[in-house]
Amino acid sequence: MPDAYILGIESSCDETSAAVVRSGEETLSNIVASQIALHQPYGGVVPELASREHLRAMVPVVREALAKAGRTYTDLDAIAVTQGPGLAGALLVGISFTKALAFALDKPLIAVNHLEGHIHAVLLEERQKGNHAVNFPVLALVVSGGHTHLYLAEQNADTWSYENVGHTRDDAAGEAFDKVAKLLGLGYPGGPVIDRLAPHGDPTAVKFTISQMKHPDRNDRNKNDRNKAANPNQHFDFSYSGIKTGVLRYVETHNMREAADARHRALSAIAKPKLEDYLAHCDREVLNVVASFQRAVVEDLVSKTLTAARACEAATLFVTGGVAANSELRATFERQAAMEGLHVFFPSRPLSTDNAAMIAAAAYPKFLAKQFAAADFCAEPGLALR
Ligand code: KG4
Ligand code: ZN
């Protein structure tokens, strides 16, 4: 099979990204223009602003991706774009741009599910390291600002398929990180800040509990069930809105609100706060809340995922998405999966969060299978992965 160069485009949330990837195994370029600074004053992503910023950044980002890869438009074999899930207006910018480009260049167009992209971020980097063999069944935890999903992934020739065996019933884990950081006056996005502050607090100081879902027959899941369509009773679900409320209650009962507002004002006045700036504005109580919150979420993610891995008899575990960048999550997964003889793979940190290389990598099997998008395909903000 000759090499195939795919231009990937991602605009589902607050990152405008373009990448050139060769045959799903070599990243020639992966340009990410982050909108964090734009949304920071609002403490979260403002959809309308995100769409406008994608429109502004798209052409320069794509030009930079091609220049860095040393390729021209005519070198491309296909163009891939995120179809969903994501913010409707943000997705439409990437899709409209990609359709126009594919039409003008007369190149095949490939629509990619963003969540499949996160899974292929792991595969891309493993192939890049020369590791082409994956032991199935693969269980993938996709954990980000918008999602906390568990998928069993199968590969048949060039076709990948996915069975959802768990998801969050309410907030995604990343959303809980972002909301808790906002509550404590630590700014947006919350995950990276909490990650860096947590080692400075005592993770056993505050007992935050996480809701446990009732799964009457989840232990009944057997080998024969593995290929069946998901049964709602066989899910390994998550829930993070309760812990967010738990932190809110703690902040209120311990009179921490006023100090959090002052912290927010002080940190907002610093252009790019460093760890020392955060530490200078956090007392022991705040650091303890941060460390205890992170410990509770990490333990819940790891224990539920490993329970699912055991029940599904997974041979390999992927942990991917923005929250997979978390240091404590990585260390805990590595330690506990090793005790069960389970191999766990993470993307590098830049490939954990949203990027277009993962979209171009996920598009490659579709390119081989000639699964091209129809000219009238549209954005699907709630697109499910199957
Ligand atoms: O995958 P991603 O870039 O976008 C979505 O598809 O949602 O994930 C962004 C999410 C945010 O909630 C952010 O706070 C979280 O990932 N995140 C982290 C870390 N880095 C990013 N959460 C915990 N620890 C981190 N180091
Ligand atoms: Zn994502």
Side-chain angles (χ1 to χ4, degrees):
M1 184 71 202
D3 284 337
Y5 292 90
I6 299 182
L7 171 68
I9 289 172
E10 155 66 33
S11 70
S12 67
C13 190
D14 60 345
E15 261 104 19
T16 316
S17 181
V20 180
V21 174
R22 180 184 61 78
S23 306
E25 64 177 42
E26 188 196 355
T27 306
L28 278 72
S29 62
N30 187 24
I31 308 300
V32 182
S34 169
Q35 302 182 1
I36 283 177
L38 179 74
H39 300 291
Q40 228 148 21
Y42 306 95
V45 178
V46 183
E48 177 72 24
L49 293 182
S51 308
R52 291 177 197 208
E53 189 58 19
H54 284 307
L55 192 56
R56 204 194 58 73
M58 188 57 75
V59 173
V61 164
V62 170
R63 284 192 177 144
E64 194 181 340
L66 284 164
K68 184 141 187 247
R71 306 280 139 176
T72 63
Y73 288 115
T74 49
D75 296 330
L76 300 173
D77 294 285
I79 310 175
V81 65
T82 303
Q83 182 178 15
L87 302 170
L91 290 165
L92 286 172
V93 175
I95 292 172
S96 306
F97 174 84
T98 309
K99 277 193 183 187
L101 191 61
F103 179 71
L105 298 172
D106 197 19
K107 304 275 182 192
L109 181 60
I110 301 171
V112 174
N113 184 307
H114 180 82
L115 302 170
E116 184 173 22
H118 276 301
I119 293 172
H120 282 257
V122 180
L123 292 159
L124 166 62
E125 290 197 315
E126 286 309 309
R127 289 192 203 107
Q128 211 145 264
K129 289 180 217 158
N131 178 12
H132 289 256
V134 183
N135 290 326
F136 288 89
V138 170
L139 181 70
L141 169 67
V142 183
V143 58
S144 68
H147 312 279
T148 306
H149 285 294
L150 279 171
Y151 292 103
L152 266 179
E154 299 273 346
Q155 185 188 18
N156 280 311
D158 295 321
T159 304
W160 283 77
S161 57
Y162 308 88
E163 181 193 356
N164 187 299
V165 295
H167 58 255
T168 178
R169 299 265 183 102
D170 39 57
D171 290 358
E175 203 176 336
F177 271 92
D178 293 337
K179 287 180 177 164
V180 164
K182 189 175 180 185
L183 201 62
L184 296 171
L186 295 169
Y188 175 85
V193 183
I194 290 181
D195 191 358
R196 288 157 76 208
L197 288 178
H200 299 271
D202 174 4
T204 63
V206 189
K207 275 267 154 293
F208 289 123
T209 49
I210 292 193
S211 328
Q212 300 304 314
M213 303 293 127
K214 283 212 164 58
H215 301 279
D217 66 345
R218 77 178 177 193
N219 293 326
D220 294 346
R221 188 185 175 84
N222 60 39
K223 265 190 205 156
N224 299 331
D225 289 336
R226 193 183 295 141
N227 295 322
K228 284 190 190 163
N231 169 334
N233 289 328
Q234 291 168 344
H235 272 229
F236 301 88
D237 289 349
F238 304 89
S239 164
Y240 296 110
S241 85
I243 189 167
K244 180 192 70 191
T245 315
V247 177
L248 172 66
R249 215 171 291 127
Y250 188 93
V251 166
E252 280 171 355
T253 53
H254 290 74
N255 300 319
M256 295 165 73
R257 182 73 96 167
E258 222 172 278
D261 290 344
R263 184 176 308 113
H264 175 63
R265 282 192 299 276
L267 290 169
S268 306
I270 305 172
K272 274 196 176 162
K274 298 191 187 64
L275 178 60
E276 305 84 75
D277 298 317
Y278 286 108
L279 287 172
H281 290 91
C282 290
D283 58 20
R284 179 125 306 274
E285 195 172 29
V286 172
L287 294 172
N288 287 349
V289 169
V290 162
S292 302
F293 160 78
Q294 180 173 284
R295 174 64 55 88
V297 173
V298 163
E299 285 189 342
D300 185 74
L301 282 168
V302 173
S303 75
K304 285 189 183 142
T305 303
L306 291 181
T307 303
R310 256 176 255 128
C312 301
E313 297 178 7
T316 305
L317 193 57
F318 288 1
V319 182
T320 184
V323 181
N326 187 272
S327 316
E328 187 175 356
L329 185 74
R330 285 176 179 242
T332 312
F333 258 121
E334 261 157 13
R335 200 173 52 243
Q336 296 198 12
M339 289 194 304
E340 310 212 3
L342 193 61
H343 210 145
V344 52
F345 295 92
F346 301 90
S348 62
R349 280 185 171 76
L351 252 71
S352 296
T353 46
D354 291 350
N355 67 88
M358 69 185 197
I359 302 303
Y364 181 61
K366 298 183 201 301
F367 174 80
L368 293 177
K370 297 196 170 19
Q371 276 175 27
F372 301 127
D376 63 352
F377 93 97
C378 198
E380 295 282 352
L383 187 64
L385 178 60
R386 293 192 178 89

